[in-house]
């Protein structure tokens, strides 16, 4: 085989192709303190190995079921990139996973993240991972590791994508799967703190229609973009506190599909949810997008959380105690509906206003 280098040509390297392994290794070292700060009972091993370790025996469960969830942040990232708002999307990433775990009564144990970009910007990536670590801290789970992928030609300059994966555990006897839901049960809603991480394709379309001046709009004295980029609320602490009282029949995380599609996911086939829209006021941020986009009520309800980030189904006699538990753990919770005989759907009375 001939060696072209002997004729004076320059051999190519991985770095010439756009991948800087040294920068990646330096980034791992940079984020190690962030990861270490999320350690919890059961986490083991050091960042940088081929896999994260978790000792399930140490958490004291006798008959555990593992629950897993994976998700991303979606096109909210495009706004983060456009407006330079990267500090909250890591929290979004964790929230979208751990909030799905807790609906089955599972305590989040550990989290893994995947950060992909065309060329690694260590400052930007560190800001994102700091948000991931903060989300893990709020959820009480360990950030065991992840992957930083540098892929030239796959992403535009300055663009990146995120994905997350989390595992939780629950005692088999305490698993919440909706099978205990009964006709006559009540539905409690816990407030969201914004649009969270769903519906942003429609959000961006409405912003486009509203024109450049929309970026300067304010909602209740808060810049519109700041309100939009508020991180998804993490409900782990409050939801586990309510679930451990043993009186929760079902929990639903209100994500893509809104109230319309997510509540039936946790209901038995012979029941339906009846939601009274007059029990809360539509937050101004949602009202702004409904008005600017001329979005129908039905479309709002199946696209956005409309101010309700999590719902809890309980017996009629347990409503007050459950609300008190949720509120004492930082939520704004209140009764919003009931369970009736039906065909596993969500119906609404009243108007969003």
């Amino acid at each position: 085989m001939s060696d072209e280098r002997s004729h004076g040509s320059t051999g190519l390297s991985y770095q010439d192709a756009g991948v800087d392994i040294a920068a990646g290794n330096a980034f791992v070292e940079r984020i190690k303190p962030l990861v270490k700060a999320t350690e919890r009972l059961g986490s083991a091993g050091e960042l940088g190995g081929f896999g994260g370790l978790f000792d399930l025996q140490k958490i004291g469960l006798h008959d555990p079921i593992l629950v897993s969830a994976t998700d991303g942040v979606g096109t909210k990232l495009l706004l983060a990139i456009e407006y330079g708002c990267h500090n909250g999307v890591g929290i979004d990433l964790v929230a979208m996973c751990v909030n799905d775990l807790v609906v089955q009564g599972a305590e989040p144990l550990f989290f893994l993240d995947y950060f992909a970009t065309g060329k690694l910007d260590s400052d930007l990536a560190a800001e994102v991972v700091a948000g991931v670590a903060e989300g893990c801290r709020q959820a009480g789970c360990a950030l065991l590791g992840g992957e930083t992928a540098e892929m030239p030609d796959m992403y535009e300059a300055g663009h990146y994508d995120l994905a997350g994966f989390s595992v939780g555990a629950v005692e088999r006897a305490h698993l919440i799967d909706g099978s205990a839901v009964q006709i006559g049960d009540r539905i409690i809603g816990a407030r969201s703190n914004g649009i969270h991480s769903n519906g942003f394709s429609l959000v961006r379309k409405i912003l486009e229609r509203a024109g450049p001046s929309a970026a300067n709009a304010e909602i209740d004295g808060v810049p519109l973009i700041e309100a939009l980029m508020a991180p998804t609320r993490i409900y782990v602490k409050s939801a586990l506190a309510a679930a451990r009282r043993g009186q929760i029949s079902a929990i639903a995380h209100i994500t893509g599909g809104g109230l319309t599609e997510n509540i039936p996911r946790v209901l038995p086939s012979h029941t339906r949810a009846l939601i009274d829209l007059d029990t809360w006021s539509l937050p101004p941020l949602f009202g702004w997008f409904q008005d600017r986009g001329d979005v129908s009520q039905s479309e709002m309800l199946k696209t956005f959380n409309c101010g309700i980030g999590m719902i809890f189904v309980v017996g009629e006699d347990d409503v007050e105690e459950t609300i008190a538990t949720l509120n004492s753990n930082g939520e704004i919770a209140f009764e919003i509906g009931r369970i009736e005989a039906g065909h596993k759907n969500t119906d609404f009375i009243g108007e969003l206003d």
Side-chain angles (χ1 to χ4, degrees):
M1 177 182 288
S2 64
D3 188 345
E4 294 294 333
R5 289 170 296 179
S6 66
H7 298 286
S9 63
T10 302
L12 291 173
S13 69
Y14 208 8
Q15 187 165 351
D16 293 329
V19 180
D20 190 338
I21 293 177
N25 291 336
F27 174 68
V28 171
E29 291 300 316
R30 179 174 178 177
I31 65 173
K32 276 186 176 180
L34 297 173
V35 174
K36 188 171 181 59
T38 70
E39 287 182 354
R40 54 151 293 159
L41 187 66
S43 58
E46 294 290 333
L47 184 67
F50 286 98
L53 305 179
F54 193 92
D55 187 347
L56 195 60
Q57 192 175 42
K58 287 187 176 179
I59 65 174
L61 297 181
H62 302 289
D63 187 17
I65 290 180
L66 294 180
V67 183
S68 62
T70 186
D71 211 331
V73 181
T75 60
K76 186 175 185 178
L77 287 180
L78 292 175
L79 291 182
I81 292 164
E82 181 176 357
Y83 293 99
C85 304
H86 307 289
N87 59 334
V89 294
I91 299 175
D92 283 308
L93 183 65
V94 176
M96 295 303 291
C97 294
V98 298
N99 285 345
D100 281 355
L101 295 181
V102 80
V103 302
Q104 294 184 280
E107 176 186 354
L109 302 178
F110 60 83
F111 188 86
L112 302 170
D113 70 281
Y114 175 79
F115 179 97
T117 188
K119 182 174 177 57
L120 182 62
D121 179 334
S122 293
D123 290 338
L124 185 155
E127 189 174 2
V128 171
V129 174
V132 173
E134 171 59 20
C136 288
R137 187 196 66 77
Q138 291 181 25
C141 65
L143 177 56
L144 286 189
E147 170 70 3
T148 304
E150 196 173 22
M151 297 186 286
D153 304 326
M154 182 70 78
Y155 296 93
E156 296 179 27
H159 281 230
Y160 62 94
D161 198 9
L162 293 174
F165 173 81
S166 190
V167 170
V170 57
E171 290 280 14
R172 188 182 306 272
H174 299 153
L175 182 68
I176 299 172
D177 60 7
S179 61
V181 172
Q182 298 181 10
I183 295 169
D185 281 356
R186 297 299 193 258
I187 301 171
I188 296 168
R191 279 282 195 181
S192 67
N193 64 342
I195 291 181
H196 288 178
S197 296
N198 297 102
F200 273 84
S201 292
L202 179 55
V203 164
R204 291 186 303 106
K205 184 64 68 175
I206 295 170
L207 287 174
E208 182 182 323
R209 175 184 290 188
S213 62
N216 300 317
E218 290 193 351
I219 307 295
D220 277 357
V222 177
L224 175 62
I225 299 303
E226 181 180 329
L228 271 178
M229 298 308 296
T232 304
R233 185 165 183 79
I234 292 177
Y235 295 93
V236 169
K237 179 181 176 182
S238 57
L240 285 178
R244 286 167 178 165
R245 292 180 57 252
Q247 296 165 327
I248 304 292
S249 302
I251 308 175
H253 181 202
I254 309 304
T255 58
L259 290 159
T260 303
E261 302 291 340
N262 282 292
I263 299 176
R265 296 171 64 182
V266 299
L267 299 182
S269 59
H270 65 286
T271 63
R272 68 166 186 151
L274 182 64
I275 303 297
D276 184 353
L277 300 175
D278 292 328
T279 54
W280 78 94
S281 298
L282 186 69
L285 178 61
F286 294 92
W288 191 94
F289 281 98
Q290 183 178 26
D291 291 342
R292 296 306 187 281
D294 192 24
V295 184
S296 68
Q297 175 168 290
S298 62
E299 188 67 24
M300 291 289 294
L301 290 166
K302 72 177 182 181
T303 303
F304 301 116
N305 66 60
C306 293
I308 303 295
M310 193 80 86
I311 70 100
F312 302 81
V313 181
V314 301
E316 184 177 4
D317 294 338
D318 299 313
V319 171
E320 290 187 9
E321 282 191 37
T322 303
I323 290 175
T325 299
L326 292 169
N327 289 347
S328 67
N329 282 277
E331 306 302 341
I332 300 174
F334 41 89
E335 186 175 345
I336 65 171
R338 61 183 183 270
I339 302 296
E340 297 186 340
H343 301 287
K344 202 171 182 178
N345 68 315
T346 306
D347 288 330
F348 301 93
I349 57 175
E351 298 290 332
L352 283 173
D353 56 30

